[in-house]
Every structure is written in structure tokens, then in C-alpha cells.
Amino acid sequence: MCGLCGTYAPDGGLDRTVTATMHSRLTHRGPDETYSLSTPVLTAKLARLGMTALKDGWQPAEDGGGRFVAVTNGEIYNADELRDRLGLARAANRADVAVVPELFARHGPAGLALIDGQFATAIHDRVEGTLHLGRDRFGVSPLYYTEADGQVHFCSELGPLVRSVPGTWRLDLGAVDQYLQLGNIVAPRTLVRDVRAVPPGTVVRFGGGGSETVRYWRYGEFVTDGPAVTAEELRHGVRQAVRDRLRGDVEIGACLSGGFDSSTLVVEAAAAVDRPLRTYSVVFGDALLDEHRFQREVAGAVGSEHREIPCLREDVTAGFEQMVRRCCYPQRETYNVAALMLSREVRSSGLKGVLSGEGADELFFGYDSYAFDGLGRSPRPGRAENESAWGRADFSWEVDWRQVDRRRADSLTPESAEALAGQEFWRDRLVPFTDSEAAGLTPMQMRSVADTSVQLGSHLLGDHGDAMLMAHSVEGRYPFLGNPVVDLALRVGDDAKVVDFEGKACLKSAYAGVVPETVLRRAKQGFTAHGLSALADDRLLAGWRDLVAASEVFRTDALEGLAAHGAAGKGDTRLSVISISMVIDELGLRV
């Protein structure tokens, strides 16, 4: 992945300095080369992290007719297949993303649905003078934008955009409420009121006096009434997705948590390469957190060149604030410090990319909550707020309505609470489904859609994935989100995914005898690190309390109030309040 930024001015009054400034703040994402696109109405730059076509690939790329020109961040794993499908002759430009403008010329936004990969792209229509910002199906590659003074500025990261575009930036209280209640901020919202994230699976078109968002794909089109998906099909799909994501002109390693998902990918990857696979694990020096026994067992079984990265309490204490200020995204746990340390080790060992297991739990129902959904319990009491947010009055995802008002009262100043009226988290539709479409999903399918929309794109692939990896010029690749695997997951019925309260049952059955038995049968353990109470000394906490008090959005006694009521919610709500205050300070946001 690379760093993409640019400015679009349909009236021709283009200020190119903003893009140059954003680019200078993105070079950690792409230290290898710089590409530029310049027209009377658009300037764009790409800081390239070279992964493929190092000698015979370049950008910008254009379609055969020359109407559409694009600059794209990301990887397209089925580029050769798409070239054949489009009838394209072998071209001098072998960059995989060079196929994007041709897809758009032939099919419009729908053409992007054909891509198996991860990308954020800026496509310029030279005939109509319009700009199209697009993002991959699940949102692996980030892309933010703002409209100011008749210009559109876009960037791969929130911080460089806000720091580079002149103006007064304000906090989005609706996004704050989303994070306090959901532990996530759902695109298109961001913490900054006038900055939006391009939602996964969509294209935002600018020009002609306004903007329009077009969805070209969404997760959740389940078709489970056909022939049963076999174990062989699942193995083949995962194996192919792994091999596709190992392609490139550089070596790719793998993250190894010791859980089933990462272990499965490591087993497949080790079998696909002709050298010892390089694997990376974090260890915490705490028996309650460590998974090193399982990590070492898998590494030994496949013969990988394995590295352990210690992340101790003092590392988290020293690194938490730096991590938050780097990614400009709130946190409800501390484990992103470990993720940042892991990416630094990967890069220092000479690698630019790693496989990671995100997506398996969402697609194959791996979280414990899916098993409870399948119990056939009596329907939950309906709430109008649920219907607004999810399209179903009986579905509340991870929201504990008994705590919602309490959490606001403990966290927000009276002025902020009053200003929040009309912007509460539930007023946004948080899944890309209408009421009638949501009603047609089973409880487990509904949870899968919500997990994917709310948690996967914004957090697991966002601040936990892209932001932590790309801070050290490392690209994350996610085989479980490959198109063939996703297509299979949408065909597998609920009763094959959850069996006897065991999630991902179909996947585990497919890998029985392949993945070590101790890993296959172990209970799920979420990736977590040392908590707030275990790491923060009095001096550090005093400084964080000062940040909370200075935020003007949170009560001066918010940390004490939340502690008194158990800081209930996803993760530790005190960390949410502290980290939001850090972002407010870092970006100079006004309330």
C-alpha cells in the first residue's frame, strides 16, 4: 500500500501547495518513489511502497481511450485475470493497479466490484471534469476527504489532511458518541466534523456542483440454499487467497498470534513458498495474555523463521500516547502499541508485507456472540433506536442500553451532552441495508453484517491494521477477505459455521489434521494487552487527566466517574475518553 493525496478544484482555482504538504507527511507510507498527476482541475500525488512491477510499472494509469486517468493505492491480486476479461493486450505498464481506469471506463463504479484486492483510488474523468474517489470492498485501504472553499482535498490519513488544509477544525460529537457506545467510528463519520471517510465498497463522485456516493458492493448477500460448501472447497479457496497475496517482487511474511486464523494462514503460506516463511509474534510477559506456547508450536511445525517481539507493561506505558497521536484514532484497549512494535520489527528485518488473519471471525461467525444468537431465544424487546441504526428494532449489536445514558453522563460535560441532541450514534444507519433487507437476515447473519460494517473496516483493518503497519512502511494482506473466500462464506449456512457453540466450525473441520490439534481445539482468545490500571503511573495519569479536562467535551472527573461505574462498554471507556482527548489536542480540534 502507498500514500495517496490530492486536491480537486472544478472551477480551476487549484491550490497545489496543500497536496504537496500532505504528501510530505505521507512518505512513511511510500518511501520508494513519488508519482504525480497534474491537470488544470486536479493535482494528486502517490508515495509508493514498491511491492510489484518494480521495474516495469508506474502511475498515473489511463484507460485505452484516454478519458479516465487514475492514481491508486493498493494491490489488485486478480489483475491478470481482469486484463484477459477486458481483452487487453500485454502492456508496457505492468502495475496491477493500471487496470483500474479501464474497468471504470467499461463499467463505471460497478467495475470496481470485479477487483479481488485492496485499494483506494482517485479517478479523473477528463471529458466531464469530475473526480471519483473509490475504496475496496471491506475498506482495507483508507481514504479521507473534505470539501472546503470549492475544493476537495483527499488523503490516505486523517492527520496529514487536517494538518495541511487551512481552516478551523471542529470535533464531531456524533462520532464521539459512536465511539463511546460502539467502540468504533463508522464511515463516513470521523472525529473531525467536516472530514469524511469514503465508505468501503463505494465511490464518491465530485463535480457538477455537488457530490454523490454510489455503493458498488456490500457484504451480506447470503445465498445458503444451494449445495453445501465442502471442506475441499474451503481449503482450496483459502489456499488460493494466500498464494495470491504472497505474489510480488518482494518477500511477504506472516503475523502469528497463535490462534486458529493466523495459524491456518501460516500453514498455507509455508507450503507455498520455497524458503522458510518469516513469522512474527508479540509476547507480553504475562501468563494471562501470552500465547507464545501456541505460536512456537505452529512455527516449529512449519519450520518458519520465527521472531518474538516483547511488549511489556513499560512499553505500553511509554508508547500508548505516541501511538494514538500517530494514528489520530481513539482506542479502547492498548494492544495497538503491540501492533506498532510488531510492524517496526517486520520492517527492520527487511520485509515490506505480512499476511494477517482479519476477517475470519466476521465471515465464519467466530466470536462467542454468534453462538448465543443461535440459541433461539425469545425476541428481544424492540427499540426505535435499534430500528434507526440497524434496520431492526430487536437488534442492538454490542450496545448495552442500560449503560448508554450512564456513560454519557459520566463522560460528557453538560454542554456537550446538550449539543449532542440530534446527533446520537443510533441516528445514523450503521449497516448498508434497508429495514426490509435487514428483516430477511438471520440473527447470526445480521451480526455478521454489523461486525463487518462497524468493527472490521473502521478498527481491525483501520487503526489496528493500516495505521499501525504503514507507520513503518509495512503492508498488511488479508487472505480471508479474498473474493473466493468471501463468496464461499456467503454460501455456508449458519448451522455449518456454528456447531455445538463452536464458531468457524466449517473452517476448523476443513483444517483438521492440518493445523496442529492444540491450536485447532483451543478456546478463542482475543488479542489484548496490558490494561490501564496495570500500566499508568500517577504522573502519567495526571497528564492524561489534564488532557481530558482541556478537551472541553469531557467532564474533568470523567475518569473517576467511569471507574466508579465500571467503565462499562467495549474495552475500557476511560481509555476511549483519554485517547479522544489526545486526538483533540493533536489536531487542535474545537468543540
Side-chain angles (χ1 to χ4, degrees), residues 294-538:
F294 302 102
Q295 297 162 354
R296 292 172 184 175
E297 182 175 359
V298 175
V302 303
S304 70
E305 182 183 311
H306 188 59
R307 297 195 183 202
E308 293 181 349
I309 300 95
C311 179
L312 306 179
R313 293 182 181 184
E314 51 266 34
D315 296 313
V316 179
T317 300
F320 181 76
E321 183 166 350
Q322 178 191 25
M323 175 271 294
V324 174
R325 290 180 181 273
R326 180 183 288 269
C327 69
C328 292
Y329 195 87
Q331 306 293 308
R332 48 187 163 88
E333 297 185 66
T334 66
Y335 59 62
N336 271 359
V337 176
L340 193 62
M341 295 175 69
L342 184 145
S343 74
R344 182 171 61 227
E345 178 65 22
V346 170
R347 185 59 172 175
S348 67
S349 69
L351 295 195
K352 292 181 177 181
V354 286
L355 304 181
S356 192
E358 279 73 14
D361 285 316
E362 290 78 10
L363 271 61
F364 291 96
F365 302 1
Y367 299 124
D368 292 342
S369 49
Y370 289 96
F372 291 102
D373 285 339
L375 287 176
R377 297 172 295 181
S378 54
R380 296 173 179 172
R383 295 185 66 106
E385 296 95 334
N386 287 338
E387 192 166 5
S388 173
W390 313 105
R392 287 177 59 153
D394 64 340
F395 181 80
S396 61
W397 193 58
E398 302 291 338
V399 177
D400 184 348
W401 282 102
R402 297 167 298 180
Q403 296 290 340
V404 166
D405 290 338
R406 178 76 266 169
R407 195 175 298 120
R408 289 180 186 140
D410 286 341
S411 302
L412 301 176
T413 65
E415 294 79 10
S416 295
E418 182 178 359
L420 178 63
Q423 303 179 66
E424 297 90 346
F425 78 94
W426 52 265
R427 294 185 184 275
D428 290 343
R429 179 55 58 94
L430 300 173
V431 293
F433 280 73
T434 65
D435 291 6
S436 60
E437 290 170 334
L441 299 174
T442 69
M444 282 191 274
Q445 291 171 347
M446 186 69 209
R447 183 174 296 278
S448 179
V449 168
D451 280 345
T452 302
S453 296
V454 177
Q455 182 165 270
L456 182 63
S458 62
H459 168 53
L460 294 175
L461 300 175
D463 68 287
H464 178 59
D466 178 88
M468 296 301 100
L469 289 168
M470 290 303 292
H472 294 114
S473 308
V474 176
E475 176 179 282
R477 297 184 171 188
Y478 305 94
F480 286 116
L481 299 179
N483 289 11
V485 180
V486 175
D487 291 345
L488 289 168
L490 291 169
R491 290 170 46 202
V492 178
D494 296 6
D495 57 353
K497 291 177 179 175
V498 179
V499 178
D500 294 332
F501 294 95
E502 182 74 25
K504 293 181 290 198
C506 56
L507 271 181
K508 291 182 177 181
S509 177
Y511 279 90
V514 180
V515 171
E517 185 73 13
T518 53
V519 173
L520 194 72
R521 300 304 172 197
R522 64 174 295 208
K524 181 172 178 57
Q525 178 176 336
F527 182 50
T528 189
H530 307 283
L532 178 63
S533 59
L535 62 93
D537 58 33
D538 291 341

Side-chain angles (χ1 to χ4, degrees), residues 253-269:
C255 298
L256 177 56
S257 71
F260 169 75
D261 305 337
S262 65
S263 299
T264 298
L265 300 184
V266 164
V267 167
E268 290 289 7

Side-chain angles (χ1 to χ4, degrees), residues 102 126 195 229 234 273 377 443 475 590:
E102 190 67 44
R126 288 169 167 149
V195 178
V229 175
L234 286 171
V273 296
R377 297 172 295 181
E475 176 179 282
R590 307 278 184 86

Side-chain angles (χ1 to χ4, degrees), residues 1 51-52 73-83 95-97 99-100 103 114-119 136 140-141 240-248 252 352-356 475-484:
M1 255 121 71
M51 306 292 286
T52 59
N73 156 33
E75 307 290 343
I76 298 179
Y77 302 112
N78 63 337
D80 289 342
E81 173 191 325
L82 291 173
R83 289 188 180 103
D96 52 357
V97 296
V99 74
V100 168
L103 282 171
L114 302 175
I115 294 174
D116 182 10
Q118 50 201 63
F119 64 89
D136 64 74
V140 177
S141 300
Q240 187 59 53
V242 168
R243 295 187 177 191
D244 287 344
R245 283 152 182 78
L246 289 171
R247 293 179 192 163
I252 304 297
K352 292 181 177 181
V354 286
L355 304 181
S356 192
E475 176 179 282
R477 297 184 171 188
Y478 305 94
F480 286 116
L481 299 179
N483 289 11

